[in-house]
Amino acid sequence: METPSVPDFDTLVIGGGPGGLTGALYLARFRRRVLVVDEGCSRAARIPRSHNMPGYPDGVMGAELVASIRRQAERYGAEMAVGRVDVLEKVEEGFIARWGAEVVRARTVLLATGASDIEPPVPYLDEAVRTGALRYCPVCDGYEVIDQAVGIIADGPAGVREALYLRSFTPRLTVFPVSGEVNFSAEERRQLAEAGVALSTEPVGSIRLWNGTVTVRHGNRETPCDSLYGALGMHVHTELVPAAERDGSGYLVTDSHQQTSIDGIYAAGDVTQGLNQISVAMGEAAIAASAIHLALGCAWR
């Protein structure tokens, strides 16, 4: 098949969250021609305020952080495009990417497509996230719920693990099965009981958000919570590389240079592992960009 005449880039970055934009920043400063394609749905941009991002003692809004890194990458020449890449194919000397009517060719790819939370049945979801009534990451914000009444909406063992993790922040914890189909093992029930974590015998019937308090109705009971954690898993966005190796949880497997099992495709951030931290995504992107620069060879002009 003849390769069409399309714009050429050294690297195509797919995804414009902190990881993808950090990779673009590094590559632009390496004097590489780099294009970021992003549809504007970064998970990080939904964070109301991150308090564990180094360098921001008063915290930083997720959208503000993303916009700042984007401006920095653009200052050094990184190009930006709005869209969702739906086709990525290997061709001679690189890759072809397509979205809508757009087609570009790149010698290498940095995949920073991330992952998205499977959302619980909470009304006014965006408001709940914005106000901290609904949370997803106890690693990020467990500190913010110290000694508060916290509920965990669970569909299996991951919810039990999250509840036990949160126990170091607050003793006031209740696990709510998301449906009547959820069953916890005797061992899981024992672990929760020993930690002093309540386990609802009835699944979530409805959730009400009012004046900053979340009320969970389960069976004939109602339990008010200061915050709810959704522990229903993640959808990892690996659709563009179906042939790439994944681990048991669906994350892309990479080597020490962040290269996937497909030569020329690198990955960074939430698409590669389950820690899902901004600082981790940025560090992985820096490693990937440095490896890509060396793999591309001399950049003399």
Side-chain angles (χ1 to χ4, degrees), residues 10-15 19-20 23 27 88 90 95 106-114 237-238 240-241 244-245 252-269 271-272 281 284-297:
D10 291 315
T11 304
L12 171 67
V13 178
I14 305 177
L27 287 160
L88 180 66
K90 178 78 171 170
F95 302 87
R107 296 170 64 191
T108 57
V109 172
L110 174 56
L111 203 65
T113 45
H237 301 296
T238 61
L240 286 173
V241 286
E245 182 183 355
L252 290 178
V253 173
T254 61
D255 64 15
S256 60
H257 301 291
Q258 297 301 130
Q259 184 167 229
T260 70
S261 58
I262 301 175
D263 187 41
I265 297 183
Y266 297 73
V271 75
T272 65
E284 290 179 347
I287 293 170
S290 300
I292 288 169
H293 176 59
L294 292 177
L296 289 171

Side-chain angles (χ1 to χ4, degrees), residues 21 79 116 187 202 215 297 300:
L21 292 172
E79 300 180 45
S116 55
E187 174 62 17
E202 298 289 342
T215 301
W300 295 332

Side-chain angles (χ1 to χ4, degrees), residues 76-268:
Y76 292 102
E79 300 180 45
M80 305 287 164
V82 177
R84 180 186 179 91
V85 175
D86 41 37
V87 176
L88 180 66
E89 57 183 304
K90 178 78 171 170
V91 295
E92 189 175 353
E93 296 185 356
F95 302 87
I96 290 286
R98 307 174 192 272
W99 66 98
E102 302 297 323
V103 182
V104 299
R105 178 171 48 200
R107 296 170 64 191
T108 57
V109 172
L110 174 56
L111 203 65
T113 45
S116 55
D117 300 280
I118 297 174
E119 297 174 336
V122 175
Y124 308 106
L125 194 71
D126 290 341
E127 179 187 352
V129 172
R130 179 178 56 79
T131 60
L134 175 63
R135 302 176 184 272
Y136 291 107
C137 179
V139 176
C140 309
D141 52 28
Y143 189 93
E144 274 64 57
V145 300
I146 289 176
D147 293 332
Q148 291 187 1
V150 174
I152 300 96
I153 300 180
D155 65 354
V160 174
R161 291 193 296 271
E162 191 147 313
L164 296 175
Y165 186 92
L166 281 162
R167 183 60 184 82
S168 62
F169 297 101
T170 179
R172 303 164 62 195
L173 293 163
T174 304
V175 173
F176 301 101
V178 73
S179 74
E181 313 265 312
V182 180
N183 292 304
F184 297 103
S185 69
E187 174 62 17
E188 289 165 346
R189 291 172 182 272
R190 183 193 64 77
Q191 290 177 332
L192 292 174
E194 286 187 356
V197 177
L199 175 61
S200 171
T201 57
E202 298 289 342
V204 173
S206 64
I207 296 171
R208 186 170 70 251
L209 175 64
W210 182 254
N211 285 343
T213 297
V214 187
T215 301
V216 180
R217 185 171 182 82
H218 47 114
N220 295 321
R221 298 184 58 191
E222 288 190 343
T223 300
C225 300
D226 297 305
S227 286
L228 275 180
Y229 276 87
L232 303 177
M234 305 286 294
H235 174 66
V236 187
H237 301 296
T238 61
E239 297 87 353
L240 286 173
V241 286
E245 182 183 355
R246 295 162 175 74
D247 67 15
S249 299
Y251 293 94
L252 290 178
V253 173
T254 61
D255 64 15
S256 60
H257 301 291
Q258 297 301 130
Q259 184 167 229
T260 70
S261 58
I262 301 175
D263 187 41
I265 297 183
Y266 297 73

